[in-house]
Amino acid sequence: MNFRSVSRIAINLTRASFQQSVRRTLNTTAVPAAALSPRFVKIVEVGPRDGLQNEKSVIPAETKIEFINRLSDTGLSVVEATSFVSPKWVPQMGDAKKVITGITKKEHVNYPCLTPNIKGLDSAIEAGVKEVAVFLAASDSFSKKNINCTVEESFDRVKPLITKAQENGILLNDMGCYEISLGDTIGVGTPGTFRELINTVSQVVPLKALAVHCHDTYGQALANIHCALEMGVRVVDSSMAGLGGCPYAPGASGNVATEDVVYMLNGMQYETGVDLQKAIETGNWISEQLGKANGSKAARALTLKMAAAKACAPTSKL
Ligand SMILES: CC(C)(COP(=O)([O-])OP(=O)([O-])OC[C@H]1O[C@@H](n2cnc3c(N)ncnc32)[C@H](O)[C@@H]1OP(=O)([O-])[O-])[C@@H](O)C(=O)NCCC(=O)NCCSC(=O)C[C@@](C)(O)CC(=O)[O-]
């Protein structure tokens, strides 16, 4: 693994005021999105992990399992399922093993899990996880709040984790990870800063290995994704119904909603493989389980439109 390039990314992220990067290390079945078709965009659904981790009330593992199973039926190829983190830090993810072993795994879907340290990786391996993601922050203050160590220390923590992942058949390419997701955790980015960020990072990391992870705190997420796509990025993280928020970034709102991303990409003739109708049903379902409104504007508009069309339809004769 080339750690030099990783530390460079962290420096660039700091300069551009972005808070965090996530690195996915991975399995052999992972295919760079750009390799499939130049119009294919891989959506990485982070709802079950990033989306739910900040929920205050305990969500039963059964609900999480059903959520993931429903997501798997929408055509998504990656569903970040859970995180093997300390339950003292993030109690909502304390059922990681139950969740990952309880889901019905589909052959065409990858289910990466977040692992912050060796202990998390060991638990993930024990639970049969085939793909893990590690996360590194760009600033010391956020890193300490999030994983209780500085950025520099986090690189030292990640090194043995990657080595052990390799030893355990979680295969890696020569850089150690096949994808680097640039996270705008507090959603402050604009197309201007995203352009600068991607320009800078792509000097050391190929565009095909980059993903963007946008939170919508300032209403910039879709614009930022559009900018990244125009620059050649083909992997987008998003969360069904716009769920989410980082426990260690107070005030940061949810992730960009998957339904909104798919709606935009459909309109731009990109291919995602995701069935928008099924995505909306899944987003509505999880929102109902959580007792909140669906945070996706496209889902809300299309749900209302469908309800209106249904109400206007002539009643069929018995
Ligand atoms: C990294 C640590 C563990 C360090 O936390 P620490 O307190 O320094 O760790 P420690 O090694 O001193 O251990 C403390 C206790 O936790 C246990 N422990 C230790 N590790 C684990 C583990 N893996 N699984 C289960 N238990 C664990 C360990 O066994 C011990 O238990 P005790 O002896 O006190 O009973 C902690 O800070 C942590 O878990 N942090 C995770 C925070 C987190 O999940 N944040 C959200 C994810 S990042 C994010 O959302 C942003 C992202 C990625 O989506 C990008 C974006 O949104 O832009």
Side-chain angles (χ1 to χ4, degrees):
M1 172 174 178
N2 182 351
F3 281 97
R4 228 161 28 134
S5 64
V6 179
S7 59
R8 278 209 195 136
I9 289 167
I11 292 162
N12 293 336
L13 291 169
T14 309
R15 234 187 47 209
S17 299
F18 287 83
Q19 290 300 304
Q20 188 148 8
S21 66
V22 182
R23 298 177 52 86
R24 300 193 178 102
T25 69
L26 287 298
N27 76 25
T28 39
T29 58
V31 181
L36 298 169
S37 142
R39 298 304 289 175
F40 183 78
V41 176
K42 184 174 82 176
I43 295 189
V44 175
E45 169 63 39
V46 297
R49 196 278 305 167
D50 201 0
L52 299 184
Q53 70 184 8
N54 208 25
E55 287 296 320
K56 296 292 168 271
S57 57
V58 179
I59 304 163
E62 290 69 25
T63 305
K64 296 174 184 172
I65 290 167
E66 183 163 353
F67 183 32
I68 297 169
N69 287 343
R70 284 175 183 250
L71 289 167
S72 305
D73 285 337
T74 62
L76 285 158
S77 59
V78 188
V79 178
E80 193 173 80
T82 185
S83 56
F84 287 85
V85 297
S86 168
K88 288 181 182 154
W89 284 65
V90 187
Q92 190 65 261
M93 295 288 112
D95 56 4
K97 185 176 179 186
K98 190 169 179 190
V99 170
I100 197 71
T101 54
I103 59 176
T104 307
K105 296 196 180 75
K106 291 227 163 177
E107 211 180 321
H108 66 277
V109 183
N110 287 339
Y111 301 93
C113 296
L114 233 59
T115 53
N117 55 13
I118 289 278
K119 188 176 170 74
L121 177 69
D122 283 345
S123 307
I125 290 170
E126 203 184 300
V129 171
K130 299 276 182 281
E131 174 161 345
V132 295
V134 298
F135 44 112
L136 302 167
S139 73
D140 277 341
S141 60
F142 184 75
S143 188
K144 281 182 194 160
K145 279 185 205 154
N146 198 33
I147 50 173
N148 205 20
C149 64
T150 63
V151 174
E152 216 43 54
E153 286 163 353
S154 71
F155 283 110
D156 292 339
R157 193 182 279 180
V158 157
K159 278 183 214 172
L161 196 160
I162 300 280
T163 307
K164 190 158 189 183
Q166 283 172 315
E167 286 166 3
N168 280 273
I170 297 181
L171 297 177
L172 310 162
N173 68 19
D174 60 356
M175 282 182 62
C177 300
Y178 74 86
E179 203 165 276
I180 297 175
S181 171
L182 304 171
D184 180 11
T185 310
I186 54 174
V188 293
T190 63
T193 52
F194 258 79
R195 183 166 294 280
E196 189 191 348
L197 174 72
I198 293 166
N199 261 333
T200 310
V201 175
S202 62
Q203 287 168 25
V204 286
V205 182
L207 272 171
K208 67 177 188 332
L210 289 181
V212 287
H213 179 112
C214 302
H215 285 253
D216 204 30
T217 319
Y218 288 76
Q220 303 294 300
L222 282 179
N224 294 339
I225 291 168
H226 183 268
C227 166
L229 292 169
E230 294 288 297
M231 295 181 77
V233 171
R234 289 291 179 270
V235 187
V236 174
D237 292 6
S238 62
S239 171
M240 210 57 84
L243 297 173
C246 178
Y248 303 105
S253 68
N255 293 272
V256 66
T258 304
E259 302 94 308
D260 292 347
V261 174
V262 174
Y263 180 81
M264 180 178 84
L265 293 177
N266 285 351
M268 295 174 74
Q269 280 75 53
Y270 281 108
E271 301 150 25
T272 63
V274 179
D275 180 324
L276 181 58
Q277 178 60 35
K278 284 188 181 168
I280 290 172
E281 286 164 14
T282 304
N284 286 343
W285 179 84
I286 189 66
S287 302
E288 209 177 300
Q289 303 305 308
L290 301 177
K292 50 168 69 171
N294 188 326
S296 157
K297 287 191 172 170
R300 286 206 303 268
L302 288 169
T303 302
L304 283 174
K305 193 174 168 185
M306 284 183 290
K310 213 170 163 186
C312 289
T315 325
S316 59
K317 287 186 183 149
L318 289 173

